[in-house]
C-alpha cells in the first residue's frame, strides 16, 4: 500500500493563499500521476487538478483555472497545490490521490491511493 499524507490546510480569509502538500510513502512516487480533489459537506467529491508522472502535463477544473497551480517534486515524493485568490466556495476537505497508470485523470475511480484529506476553510 502507498500512504499519502496531506498538509497545509487551515482557516483563511477571502483572497488569501495556501499551499497544500501531499507526501507519498512509495519510492515509486515518480511513476504515478497525482491529483487533487475536494469535497464539501453534502456535495460530491470533485476534481480540482491533476499532474502527470513527469510533471509535464497538468490540467485543472474550470473553477480553479488561473488561481490554483499543481506541481510536483519527485525527489521529495511530494505534490503541491498552490491556491491563490481563495473564495468561500473553495471551502472543502482536500484530498490528494495517486494513479499508478501515470497519466492524469479527473475520474476518482482511476486513482489507486488516497490521502485522508486536509481541511481548507475560507471565510468572508
Amino acid at each position: 500500500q502507498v500512504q499519502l499524507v496531506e498538509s497545509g490546510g487551515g482557516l483563511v480569509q477571502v483572497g488569501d493563499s495556501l499551499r497544500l502538500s501531499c507526501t507519498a510513502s512509495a519510492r515509486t512516487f515518480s511513476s504515478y500521476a497525482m491529483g487533487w480533489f475536494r469535497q464539501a459537506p453534502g456535495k460530491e467529491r470533485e476534481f480540482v487538478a491533476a499532474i502527470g508522472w513527469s510533471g509535464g502535463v497538468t490540467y485543472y477544473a474550470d473553477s480553479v483555472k488561473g488561481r490554483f497551480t499543481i506541481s510536483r517534486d519527485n525527489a521529495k515524493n511530494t505534490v503541491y497545490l498552490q491556491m491563490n485568490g481563495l473564495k468561500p466556495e473553495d471551502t472543502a476537505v482536500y484530498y490528494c490521490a495517486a494513479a499508478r497508470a501515470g497519466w492524469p485523470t479527473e475520474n476518482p475511480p482511476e486513482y489507486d491511493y488516497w490521502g485522508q484529506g486536509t481541511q481548507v476553510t475560507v471565510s468572508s
Side-chain angles (χ1 to χ4, degrees), residues 28-95:
T28 55
F29 172 82
S30 62
S31 70
Y32 302 154
M34 298 295 296
W36 285 98
F37 296 79
R38 66 188 183 187
Q39 188 167 24
K43 294 185 177 181
E44 296 287 327
R45 185 171 297 184
E46 66 175 349
F47 168 75
V48 176
I51 187 167
W53 69 269
S54 70
V57 178
T58 60
Y59 72 99
Y60 301 88
D62 288 342
S63 60
V64 306
K65 285 181 180 177
R67 298 190 298 122
F68 291 9
T69 302
I70 188 170
S71 62
R72 67 191 297 160
D73 186 340
N74 288 343
K76 297 180 179 179
N77 282 9
T78 300
V79 63
Y80 304 96
L81 185 68
Q82 178 67 46
M83 305 185 294
N84 298 328
L86 285 163
K87 305 174 181 180
E89 51 263 44
D90 295 318
T91 295
V93 176
Y94 283 71
Y95 300 90

